[in-house]
Amino acid sequence: MESLGYQILHGGSLIVLFMIIMLFSKIVNDWATPFSVDEELTMKDNVAFAISIGGYLTATTIIYVGAMIGPSQGIIQDLLIVGGYSILGIGLLNISRYINDSFILYKFSNVKEIITDRNEGTGAVQFGSYVASGLIVAGAISGEGGGIFTAVVFFVLGQLALIGFTRIYNVITPFDVHDEIEKDNVAAGIAFGGALVALGFILMKGASGDFISWSHNLKKFLLDALLIFLLLPIVRIFFDKIVIPKSDLNHEIKNDKNIGAGFLEATVMIGFSVVLYFAMS
């Protein structure tokens, strides 16, 4: 049994490493984007950017926690493993931003919407995209038997699933999500961002666990992705017809730009995905 002193030293070293990783994540973001976190947050008071970077840092935290999951192999070894996988995850997270800009919110410039127009709806979608990507990476690096290659493969599969879900989400809503978000409809951005987070929870489950074989783990991932693709649209209809039967959800979001309605849709979908995650475990 580990001594109290060892537990304190082990836990303290992981906390210090986490602070270093968060600083590293911010530096990478500054280097990889045409804007500065400090300038946008403190000099320009850009709320849209704050929402987006909040998602990025939340995703960094999720990846770090995912890297910590598993049996301890000693302080030095744990720091090397957790730090190494966290750095890998931050790299993948920055790649996910370009995927989001090119394939999820692809009808306009995300940088322009967030930096120039300060579009909080776009910031909310980026928040959801970051968190979903962080969940996928956390799942991919957890468990025994895998490695860097398996983590990258499941990250790519997760990004393809996010892109595919974007198309489905746009079909099940009677309005063009891109058009509404570009019109500064924050409610539409929050609802869509929440749907991405909800999808991320289930994709994390599909990517997590011990790596048995490619056929076993790929089948598990694809079945979980298919299930959530089928169920999330049903949950949205349920929320519209059962939870708020006296109002039309689509009207509230599109016409009234009701941020409360967008927020409730996001929380219901995330809540459902969390329940589904543990129900399927």
Side-chain angles (χ1 to χ4, degrees):
M1 185 175 179
E2 296 173 350
S3 66
L4 178 60
Y6 177 86
Q7 293 176 3
I8 293 174
L9 180 61
H10 185 263
S13 64
L14 287 172
I15 291 172
V16 172
L17 178 61
F18 173 67
M19 292 188 288
I20 295 172
I21 289 296
M22 289 293 277
L23 176 61
F24 174 77
S25 182
K26 174 185 175 294
I27 292 172
V28 171
N29 183 81
D30 281 342
W31 174 79
T33 57
F35 40 79
S36 165
V37 172
D38 296 329
E39 180 180 351
E40 292 299 324
L41 289 182
T42 61
M43 297 177 62
K44 297 182 179 180
D45 299 336
N46 189 338
V47 175
F49 177 78
I51 296 171
S52 173
I53 196 66
Y56 176 79
L57 295 177
T58 299
T60 300
T61 304
I62 292 170
I63 291 169
Y64 188 84
V65 172
M68 285 197 302
I69 295 175
S72 174
Q73 300 183 37
I75 294 178
I76 301 300
Q77 190 71 7
D78 286 353
L79 291 176
L80 290 173
I81 292 173
V82 173
Y85 274 116
S86 295
I87 291 172
L88 171 66
I90 290 169
L92 295 176
L93 201 59
N94 280 273
I95 292 174
S96 77
R97 176 174 55 250
Y98 293 103
I99 294 174
N100 175 86
D101 294 354
S102 301
F103 300 103
I104 295 180
L105 289 182
Y106 57 89
K107 291 186 178 181
F108 49 76
S109 169
N110 285 233
V111 172
K112 176 181 178 296
E113 289 297 316
I114 290 179
I115 303 304
T116 304
D117 298 346
R118 302 189 181 189
N119 186 331
E120 295 170 15
T122 304
V125 176
Q126 280 205 344
F127 181 100
S129 178
Y130 276 135
V131 171
S133 297
L135 290 167
I136 294 167
V137 173
I141 63 178
S142 66
E144 302 292 322
I148 294 175
F149 181 69
T150 56
V152 172
V153 168
F154 283 104
F155 167 78
V156 171
L157 290 175
Q159 293 301 306
L160 291 174
L162 290 176
I163 294 168
F165 180 76
T166 299
R167 306 302 191 270
I168 294 174
Y169 188 87
N170 219 20
V171 169
I172 64 175
T173 53
F175 52 83
D176 190 299
V177 176
H178 291 84
D179 287 347
E180 291 304 314
I181 293 173
E182 192 171 15
K183 294 175 184 176
D184 295 342
N185 188 336
V186 180
I190 292 174
F192 183 40
L196 292 176
V197 174
L199 180 64
F201 271 107
I202 303 305
L203 295 177
M204 175 178 67
K205 180 184 179 302
S208 63
D210 294 340
F211 183 79
I212 308 300
S213 67
W214 281 111
S215 60
H216 172 85
N217 289 79
L218 286 174
K219 181 180 178 181
K220 175 176 176 286
F221 181 87
L222 293 174
L223 286 175
D224 285 342
L226 178 61
L227 180 63
I228 200 65
F229 270 41
L230 294 173
L231 290 180
L232 278 186
I234 296 174
V235 172
R236 192 178 192 277
I237 295 171
F238 171 82
F239 173 68
D240 186 16
K241 305 303 180 185
I242 306 298
V243 179
I244 52 170
K246 295 183 178 180
S247 300
D248 179 71
L249 176 63
N250 297 310
H251 177 85
E252 290 295 321
I253 291 177
K254 180 180 186 298
N255 299 101
D256 294 349
K257 298 184 178 180
N258 187 332
I259 293 177
F263 181 77
L264 285 177
E265 179 187 337
T267 54
V268 167
M269 297 186 81
I270 293 172
F272 174 80
S273 69
V274 172
V275 171
L276 185 62
Y277 179 97
F278 287 102
M280 294 165 54
S281 298

